[in-house]
Amino acid sequence: MYQPSATGASRRDAKGVMKYTRFLTAASAARRPSPIRVLTELQQRSPPTLISLAGGAPNPDTFPFQSTTIEVKNGPPITFNETIMRRALQYSASSGLPELLTWMKNLQKNLHNPPTVSYTPENGQMDMCVTTGSQEGLCKVFEMLVNPGDNVLLDAPTYPGTLAALQPLGCNIINVPSDQHGMIPAALRKILSRWDPSEVHQPSSTAPRLLYTIPNGGNPTGASMTTQRKQEVYELARLYDMLIIEDDPYYFLQFDKPWAPTFLSMDVDGRIIRTDSFSKILSSGLRIGFLTGPKPLVDRVVLHIQASTMHTSTFTQLMVSELLHGWGQEGFLQHVDRVIEFYRKQRDAMINSANNWLKDVADWHTPTAGMFLWIKLKGIADTQQLIMKKALEKEVLLVPGGVFLINSGEPCPYVRAAFSLSTPEQMDEALRRLSALIREAM
C-alpha cells in the first residue's frame, strides 16, 4: 500500500480537514438543492403507504411501454415486467439509482481500497454519483473548479473532449511533458517551481489548483503512467495543495496484470476526483459513467446535475444494475477479462502490421492499455494536410495529431490509429496504404 512521504506534507487545516471551499468557483459555491428534486428523492425512500400530492411526475399508466426482455451474452436475460418498467421509465435520484451506486461503491473499494473510505464526510470521505457518461462528469467537475485565468495542468497530447470542455472556461492550460510512461514528474516539478508552496493559499497566488491526466492507455498516445510516477505526482499535489482529476476510461482495458495502483488508491488526503466509464466495456450508447471523489465535491456535482440533466436515464441505469447484480463482481471481472483479451489481440495485430509496413517510415511505442497506437511519421512535419486530403485519396483515414494539442494549429508529425473496430486484415491494408502515402510525401 502507498505510504505518503514525510516531506509531502498535506495542506489541511489545524483540524486535519481539506479546505474544499477554496477550490470552488463562485457558480458552484452558489448552487443550492432543488426543492422538487429533494421531495422526489424523499418520496422514493418512503414506504408505499405514503400518499404524496407533492411530485410533478407523469403517471406511468399513460406510457406506451409495458415490458421488455433483453438477452445477455454471458448471463441470464434481463426482464423488465410491468412493475419494473414503471420504475425504469420514471424520474429517479440525481446521484444515481441507490442499488447501482451501492454495487459500484463496493467495486471501487475492492479494486482501489481508497484510504478515504473510512473518513468523515466533511473530511473527504469517498463518495460516488452516476453521470451520463464520464464526459458529463468531467464537464461538471471543470465548471465546479475552474475560473477564468486559472492555471490548469495537463499532459498533452490529450483527449479533445477535455480541451473542448476546458478552453471555453478561459483558463490558462499548462502542458506538462510526457512520454510513453505518462506525465513526467521532473517536468511537473520544474513547472511548479515557479511558485512557492508556502504561498499557494494567498489570495494573490496564481499557483495551479488542478491537475488533469489520463493514467492508463491515454487517448491518443496510449501512454500508461507507472506506479512510481503516480506517487511522485501525488506528492507534488500534496505539496502545492492541488486536486488531481484521474480520468480513467481505459482502466478496464489494461492488458497486463497486476493492474497499476490508481491515484484513488493513494489518496490519503481526499484530493482525487476520479472518472470511470462503462462505455468501453458494456456499451458506449448507454451513457453510464461514474464520478468518485471527496463527498463535499461530489455533492456539488450532484447539485449541478439537479439543475441540468436531472439524472442519468433511469432505464439504462436499471438495465446495467440488473446486469451487474446478476453477474456479481466475479462475473463482471470475467467479462472484463474477455474484453481485454479481444483488445489485446487487436493491439497485437496492429503492431504486427506496423512492423510489416511502417518500420522504416515511422516510430511508435506498443501501448499496454486502451485502443490507440500513436504513430510518429518520419520526414513529415505536420500530418494535418496529409491525412485530411491525400490520405482520403488513398482510402485510409487516421486522426492527425494536431487535434490533440492545446493549440491545434501547431505542426504535429503524429497520427492516431485506433485498433478497436477494424479487422486485422483491414488494419494491415490500412497501414500498407499509409506506408505508401508516407513514402510519396517524404
Side-chain angles (χ1 to χ4, degrees):
M1 183 178 176
Y2 164 73
Q3 296 294 327
S5 73
T7 56
S10 173
R11 294 290 180 157
R12 289 171 169 258
D13 64 17
K15 297 181 180 179
V17 177
M18 282 278 289
K19 299 176 182 176
Y20 293 113
T21 54
R22 91 174 195 89
F23 296 100
L24 300 180
T25 61
S28 182
R31 294 193 186 282
R32 298 292 180 266
S34 162
I36 298 299
R37 290 267 78 206
V38 171
L39 284 173
T40 298
E41 294 171 20
L42 179 64
Q43 178 181 339
Q44 291 171 347
R45 296 195 299 268
S46 300
T49 52
L50 174 77
I51 299 174
S52 174
L53 303 181
N59 193 311
D61 288 340
T62 66
F63 298 161
F65 310 102
Q66 189 166 347
S67 64
T68 188
T69 297
I70 302 166
E71 298 295 330
V72 176
K73 289 180 181 177
N74 294 285
I78 296 172
T79 299
F80 285 7
N81 59 26
E82 290 188 40
T83 300
I84 297 175
M85 183 64 90
R86 288 167 70 92
R87 183 187 178 204
L89 298 176
Q90 193 56 275
Y91 294 127
S92 56
S94 293
S95 57
L97 293 186
E99 63 267 40
L100 179 57
L101 281 173
T102 297
W103 199 97
M104 282 304 301
K105 285 180 180 178
N106 288 331
L107 180 69
Q108 295 294 63
K109 292 173 186 177
N110 289 341
L111 291 177
H112 309 290
N113 191 25
T116 53
V117 165
S118 59
Y119 291 12
T120 60
E122 66 274 8
N123 203 30
Q125 181 185 64
M126 186 203 90
D127 201 6
M128 294 184 71
C129 68
V130 180
T131 57
T132 305
S134 61
Q135 183 69 21
E136 184 196 21
L138 278 178
C139 287
K140 285 179 165 52
V141 166
F142 290 146
E143 292 178 23
M144 172 176 66
L145 301 174
V146 179
N147 288 296
D150 281 358
N151 288 317
V152 176
L153 300 167
L154 57 75
D155 47 337
T158 194
Y159 171 50
T162 297
L163 298 174
L166 272 176
Q167 287 172 331
L169 300 178
C171 59
N172 177 35
I173 302 174
I174 300 175
N175 183 31
V176 182
S178 60
D179 57 21
Q180 71 270 27
H181 302 300
M183 184 177 289
I184 301 171
L188 175 61
R189 188 176 295 107
K190 182 178 180 181
I191 290 171
L192 289 171
S193 68
R194 305 175 197 174
W195 296 275
D196 184 338
S198 67
E199 298 176 353
V200 297
H201 289 162
Q202 295 181 3
S204 60
S205 176
T206 61
R209 293 175 298 163
L210 189 65
L211 181 148
Y212 168 92
T213 191
I214 305 173
N216 292 299
N219 180 2
T221 65
S224 294
M225 197 182 298
T226 63
T227 301
Q228 179 64 32
R229 287 193 179 185
K230 287 178 185 174
Q231 291 172 347
E232 292 180 40
V233 168
Y234 187 81
E235 290 299 328
L236 287 168
R238 301 187 83 207
L239 183 61
Y240 286 87
D241 196 18
M242 296 186 295
L243 299 176
I244 297 176
I245 299 178
E246 182 176 31
D247 184 16
D248 212 357
Y250 305 101
Y251 175 78
F252 293 110
L253 293 187
Q254 296 181 75
F255 303 131
D256 302 317
K257 290 186 178 180
W259 291 341
T262 59
F263 279 112
L264 184 66
S265 71
M266 305 174 184
D267 190 19
V268 293
D269 290 339
R271 62 177 70 252
I272 302 301
I273 303 172
R274 176 180 171 83
T275 62
D276 284 282
S277 174
F278 278 165
S279 291
K280 312 301 185 290
I281 53 172
L282 294 186
S283 161
S284 52
L286 288 178
R287 309 309 299 140
I288 298 284
F290 297 89
L291 191 71
T292 307
K295 182 171 175 53
L297 297 181
V298 173
D299 285 348
R300 292 280 115 193
V301 171
V302 172
L303 291 180
H304 193 171
I305 292 173
Q306 287 183 1
S308 56
T309 53
M310 293 179 60
H311 59 79
T312 298
S313 164
T314 312
F315 188 99
T316 57
Q317 286 190 74
L318 198 52
M319 177 179 164
V320 168
S321 181
E322 292 285 323
L323 177 71
L324 296 177
H325 281 90
W327 272 345
Q329 283 194 23
E330 183 178 353
F332 169 72
L333 293 174
Q334 288 173 352
H335 168 75
V336 169
D337 284 342
R338 289 189 290 269
V339 176
I340 289 172
E341 184 59 27
F342 171 83
Y343 284 110
R344 181 191 289 112
K345 290 179 179 178
Q346 291 289 100
R347 188 253 340 239
D348 291 347
M350 177 162 279
I351 294 299
N352 286 338
S353 294
N355 285 327
N356 288 338
W357 298 111
L358 302 178
K359 192 176 296 183
D360 298 328
V361 294
D363 293 314
W364 61 88
H365 295 284
T366 301
T368 59
M371 298 177 168
F372 307 113
L373 185 63
W374 188 235
I375 306 171
K376 183 179 182 180
L377 308 189
K378 296 180 180 179
I380 308 293
D382 185 28
T383 58
Q384 179 69 25
Q385 294 301 314
L386 183 74
I387 295 300
M388 300 311 292
K389 290 187 177 181
K390 295 183 179 180
L392 287 175
E393 296 173 3
K394 295 285 186 181
E395 295 187 314
V396 59
L397 187 61
L398 301 94
V399 183
V403 304
F404 303 99
L405 302 181
I406 296 169
N407 179 1
S408 61
E410 287 183 9
C412 181
Y414 287 86
V415 294
R416 190 197 76 177
F419 49 80
S420 54
L421 286 175
S422 300
T423 65
E425 294 75 20
Q426 289 172 326
M427 287 189 278
D428 191 69
E429 176 60 19
L431 295 190
R432 185 195 69 78
R433 295 176 187 180
L434 177 63
S435 174
L437 181 66
I438 299 169
R439 294 177 196 281
E440 287 180 11
M442 288 175 67

